[in-house]
Amino acid sequence: MASFVYDEGRRAAFGGVPTHSAIDLNDDALGVYFVDEGTDTPNQTSDQDDADRTGQNPTFANAPNLGSAGSRVTISSNVLVFDAADLVFTGSGALTGVTSVESIDMWKDSGTSSTSPMFANFDDYTGLPLTPAGVDVTIVWAATGIVRV
Amino acid sequence: MSNSVRLHHPTFASCNYVVELPQAILAGAKVCPTCSRPDKPVKHEQKALHLQLDANGDCFVSEGVLETLRQVPTMAGLEVVSAVTNAPPQFVGAVEQPRQEVITATNLRTWTPGRTRQESERIAQAPFLPTLTAIAEMYDRRLTAVRAEKQSTFALGK
């Protein structure tokens, strides 16, 4: 399997009829966590919200949100860019209780697990699978944007 | 209180040392982006620790990972050196990955070509392309239909 956009995420962010609310990539709170695939295998079709998942690390409640809300999407010279500051999972709280993580999930944080739609799963990022060293872990987004069209 | 532990391998150095955990079966075995070459995909059937051994044969793991390693026979040849508080941070995503040798605990060896930062960026953006291409094609079809309708209306008007 390679990285993918969840079907629910495609409907919610790019036009369609989502089960939950639409995803505004520019303004909405977007959470990110790592996934221990020894516990759960992400499913592009059937995983619709956080409640469909297990193996999150950090947990839904403790996962950091993507920064730069309100200025993540820019359009210039017919190029749309969705971007944000690199995301740091800090220190001793990062990836505790897990031997390795195999992928990264991005989702809209509605504040409630069962109504927070899944957006995308990344499992072929350089550096994955990651074996925690008990230190800060930084997700470095592409310099040209998380998404560039 | 430290959160990292320095481990040492007496034989191997400057490589990605992979320790598969036999008790942790992966439900969906898939191609490992760290161990694979373009011409030789590698799949892990079990969860696997990927330990970056430096030139001295050292690497850093969390205390939780160490506890798991202690359950592996002979700790896969690794020795505990010391607890540390200043282990280097970890990065994933659009970062460079050097060409490196991959060695498993059962002494299988291969080389990966590594990735430049640009290749990592392209891979990071790739999952969105099929979705966005499909949307662009849908809008293109709609615009084509609108243009065709306008042209036919213009011809009839003349």
Side-chain angles (χ1 to χ4, degrees):
Chain A
M1 197 65 174
S3 300
F4 59 81
V5 177
Y6 285 98
D7 288 353
E8 174 69 3
R10 177 174 49 77
R11 292 188 293 264
F14 300 123
V17 183
T19 303
H20 301 298
S21 57
I23 297 176
D24 184 333
L25 294 176
N26 191 57
D27 295 328
D28 280 343
L30 300 175
V32 179
Y33 47 53
F34 289 90
V35 181
D36 172 2
E37 297 197 11
T39 304
D40 185 22
T41 303
N43 188 303
Q44 182 175 12
T45 306
S46 62
D47 287 345
Q48 295 196 337
D49 53 61
D50 175 75
D52 291 330
R53 307 299 316 284
T54 58
Q56 305 96 322
N57 205 300
T59 61
F60 173 80
N62 293 328
N65 282 344
L66 203 60
S68 315
S71 60
R72 292 192 204 113
V73 176
T74 56
I75 301 175
S76 174
S77 303
N78 291 327
V79 176
L80 180 147
V81 175
F82 164 54
D83 199 7
D86 294 346
L87 192 59
V88 182
F89 294 72
T90 50
S92 58
L95 307 180
T96 54
V98 67
T99 53
S100 73
V101 287
E102 285 71 32
S103 63
I104 297 166
D105 264 340
M106 187 182 293
W107 37 278
K108 173 182 172 179
D109 186 357
S110 74
T112 303
S113 171
S114 59
T115 59
S116 291
M118 306 306 295
F119 177 51
N121 175 271
F122 309 97
D123 69 354
D124 50 9
Y125 269 21
T126 301
L128 292 175
L130 178 78
T131 300
V135 295
D136 288 359
V137 180
T138 301
I139 299 177
V140 181
W141 308 114
T144 52
I146 301 171
V147 182
R148 182 181 177 87
V149 189
Chain B
M1 179 181 163
S2 67
N3 298 299
S4 302
V5 180
R6 183 195 299 270
L7 303 179
H8 175 74
H9 198 290
T11 309
F12 302 134
S14 300
C15 68
N16 179 12
Y17 186 55
V18 179
V19 181
E20 291 197 335
L21 304 174
Q23 72 276 27
I25 306 296
L26 280 174
K30 55 188 182 183
V31 174
C32 175
T34 297
C35 299
S36 296
R37 297 189 324 219
D39 62 330
K40 187 181 179 186
V42 173
K43 286 186 176 181
H44 299 302
E45 302 292 334
Q46 294 94 19
K47 279 180 76 71
L49 305 180
H50 293 71
L51 307 172
Q52 297 291 331
L53 299 182
D54 64 17
N56 299 317
D58 292 353
C59 67
F60 300 95
V61 297
S62 67
E63 291 167 343
V65 171
L66 176 62
E67 288 308 308
T68 302
L69 264 174
R70 288 190 193 281
Q71 298 166 23
V72 176
T74 70
M75 273 185 58
L78 292 157
E79 303 163 350
V80 177
V81 177
S82 62
V84 294
T85 56
N86 58 348
Q90 295 178 295
F91 298 90
V92 299
V95 293
E96 185 179 357
Q97 179 174 283
R99 179 177 185 268
Q100 63 181 352
E101 189 176 21
V102 177
I103 303 176
T104 69
T106 52
N107 209 13
L108 293 174
R109 294 175 174 226
T110 186
W111 279 90
T112 60
R115 290 175 179 173
T116 64
R117 183 180 170 118
Q118 287 72 27
E119 287 171 330
S120 293
E121 290 194 0
R122 181 180 52 74
I123 289 166
Q125 292 175 337
F128 297 97
L129 295 181
T131 297
L132 297 172
T133 301
I135 292 169
E137 287 175 350
M138 181 184 74
Y139 279 105
D140 192 45
R141 280 196 299 274
R142 284 185 190 171
L143 286 173
T144 302
V146 169
R147 276 197 298 272
E149 190 177 339
K150 280 184 178 173
Q151 284 173 351
S152 63
T153 305
F154 178 71
L156 286 172
K158 279 203 158 186

